[in-house]
Every structure is written in structure tokens, then in C-alpha cells.
Amino acid sequence: MSPVRSETINLMFLQLAAKAHEIMIVNSLGLIVLHFVRSELLFGDGLPLGLVGSGLSFNNFEYFFKKEFYGSLKYNGDHGNKARRVMFVTVVIVAGLTAALAGPASAVLLVPKSQDWAAGGTRFYLNGSETDFWPADLSGNLSELRSFCNGNESTHLGICPAGGFHSLWKHWGTANSTDFRAQDVRSYARDLSGSNFYWPVSSASSQIPPLYALGNSKKGVSDATTLIQPHAAVVVILEKLATNWWKALVSQRGMSPDQVDDRIISANARSGITIVRCERPQELLYSDNAVHFPSIDGRFHFANSLPLAVHSLNNTAVDHLRFQ
């Protein structure tokens, strides 16, 4: 890993290094060919004019298709030590091919490639029944949760039905009708769900790690607002498994954690589908304490609204609209 965290800048540095590597290879080959040229001129039978400049022209691939090179080959076949001439021409051709391939080879070999390592896998199960993980009663009056979830801190506890509500309120409290579709979306969010927005859902006083809710907002009368979120219990187990497999991978390969770019862990888990409907705004008189909520018949069929008595409504008379 480079001290610079930008992948684009790191690739630019590697391309510069590849170009410098190519230049050094070509220079080295040029010195070798020039040494052969000097040796032939001083201690051999001389060279035709077309090969005297081969030490400078060999790195241009067009040189091997020009008349100067062809004419020199004919001269070499008719004069002097043929074995010595063939060796010299072979050196020039090999140097030319190496120079032509040095650039692409350096660019390919110096740029690191992603390697997938199968760190491992295991089976796990959730110790609970279907009603434990997808309860029908979310009122918070369950006997097991009553001592924890009846207070003002219920929105901060992940085990309560209202757990994570504080994150939702904090997120949507800063968004409005003009910017909530333009939230910063991570690159993998669109690949996972095709979402236009996402936000973390967490519980400050819980051991449950942050979850990311992905979704799309309602854009028309016939559209719906959709949300996708992983199951909290599965996420807890996956986080522990990911930590264990990560330590095993780094230890077994003897690598530094900085040498691995990313970690991917996945699981197949059952997830419940929940549908929510908003009722139309209701105008309440100061003496009213019944609020109508929409009901759902079956899975996706909406039924008539049902009244719910809310005795904590503030029924103090005011001269303006008040929302609760």
C-alpha cells in the first residue's frame, strides 16, 4: 500500500515507473548492440552501411522492414564470416523484439492485479424460532423486554423494537425534499440494490454493529418507497467470523494487514418482508384522543383504518396546526 490513498494517483506513479523501466531496458539493449557494432568494425570484416546505425535504429520496429536492413542481409550472405554475420543480425533482431515488447510488458507487470483468496467458510445457525426473529408483536410490551424497552432509552438499545430509531431520526432530520435523493452513496450500494440512497442504522448502547439501510424513494403515485437492510443477528455473527478468518489469513500468509485491499464476507440468510402504509393526515379536536392507523390484511392487502387510543396526546387548545 502506498502512503497516498488515492488509487488513481498510485496507478499514475506505477505507470511512470513502468516507462522508466522501459527506457532503461532499451538503453541497455542499445549499449549491447553498439558494442557488437564496434567489435565488428574493429576486429571483424566490417559492416554494411545499413547495419552501422543499427545501435540507434533497432528500437524502431519499422527499421526491420526498410531496404537498408534487407540490403544488409544480402551483403552479409555474400561476404565475410557467415556464422559471425548471422550472430550479429540475430542479436539486432532479438534486441529489436525485446525493445518493442519492453514497454507493454513493464506496464502490465508493474501494475498490481487483484487476487482473490478464499480465506474459508463455515456453517452457522441462529438459535431461535421464526417468531423469535420475526415477531408479530412489536409493541415493546413483551415480558422479556419490558424492563429494558419501556424507558426513554429504548431508541438507543438494539434489542428493543425501537432500536435504531435514533439513527433514522438523525439522518432524516438533516434531509429535506430537495436533497434526500442526492445523499452520498458508496460505490457498492448501487451494485447491491440499485439504491439511490443509504444510511447507517446503529444503536449507541448496543453490541450490534452498524447496519446499512439501502433503498429508493417514492417518485410517483404508483411507486413505493423500498428499503433493504441485513438481519441484525446475522450481521453480528458475520462480524465475528470475518474477524477470525481475517486473523487466520494474515497469520497463515505472513502478511501485513496493509497488503490486503479489501475483505468480503457473505452469507445466505432468510429475511422477512415488511410493508408499511401511512394514513392520511388527521385533524384532531382538543377533546379527541383516538388516532386512526392503517391496517394490513394478510401480506400486502390494506384494510380499513383502526382507531388507537393515545391518552398522552397534548390536547391543549392552540390557534395553529400542531403535529405529534
Side-chain angles (χ1 to χ4, degrees), residues 117-180:
W117 293 332
T122 186
R123 292 180 177 270
F124 66 90
Y125 66 94
L126 302 178
N127 187 17
S129 63
E130 181 176 346
T131 56
D132 292 333
F133 292 103
W134 296 283
D137 184 2
L138 293 178
S139 63
N141 292 325
L142 301 176
S143 58
E144 298 86 351
L145 303 178
R146 188 173 299 146
S147 59
F148 300 100
C149 302
N150 281 356
N152 295 330
E153 296 296 322
S154 61
T155 60
H156 294 268
L157 297 176
I159 61 174
C160 296
F165 177 79
H166 182 74
S167 297
L168 299 179
W169 179 257
K170 183 178 180 181
H171 174 83
W172 292 108
T174 60
N176 56 49
S177 59
T178 62
D179 66 1
F180 78 99

Side-chain angles (χ1 to χ4, degrees), residues 180-181 196 216-226:
F180 78 99
R181 285 199 184 103
N196 290 330
N216 285 319
S217 57
K218 181 176 181 178
K219 298 181 179 179
V221 178
S222 59
D223 295 334
T225 297
T226 57

